[in-house]
Amino acid sequence: MGNDKLFLLRSIEIASKGIEDGGGPFGAVIVKDDKIISEAFNRVVLNNDPTAHAEILAIRQASSVLHSHELNECTLYSSCEPCPMCLGAIYWSGIKKVVYSCDRTDAEIAGFSDKLIYNEIMLDPSIRKISFIRLTDLGGKEVFRKWDALETKIAY
């Protein structure tokens, strides 16, 4: 069995442990140089935090371990295909490879549907189900001008 399978099995074990500990049925592992540097299970209900998905928590922990927001040399293993929020975090972190077991259809059958988000994200903000109101000329662009003026910037 290859390392991908071993690390993916670990994410599934963590998902199962998460259920036993009162969390959701999702687990994630982040690996660098064939070593696990972080692992987490879904803690949305336990933490009263809608962002406490396994992948997000594993990314936060890996960033802390590596003292960097750049995880481009890491692989994420997840018991399920990452949701849109986690997918965004994966791209922002620079992770280049994701290995997962179940997909969004399996998650939907279990009661975890992201269809609305996938559909909404492609829409213009003015026609989404949630009201998005843009107010301009309040200084928002000034923040970007300050950022652009910095000689030393953090790479994102």
Side-chain angles (χ1 to χ4, degrees), residues 64-82:
S64 180
V65 167
L66 297 176
H67 305 288
S68 176
H69 64 281
E70 295 179 356
L71 304 179
N72 51 351
E73 295 178 12
C74 298
T75 299
L76 185 140
Y77 295 86
S78 182
S79 61
C80 188
E81 177 184 5

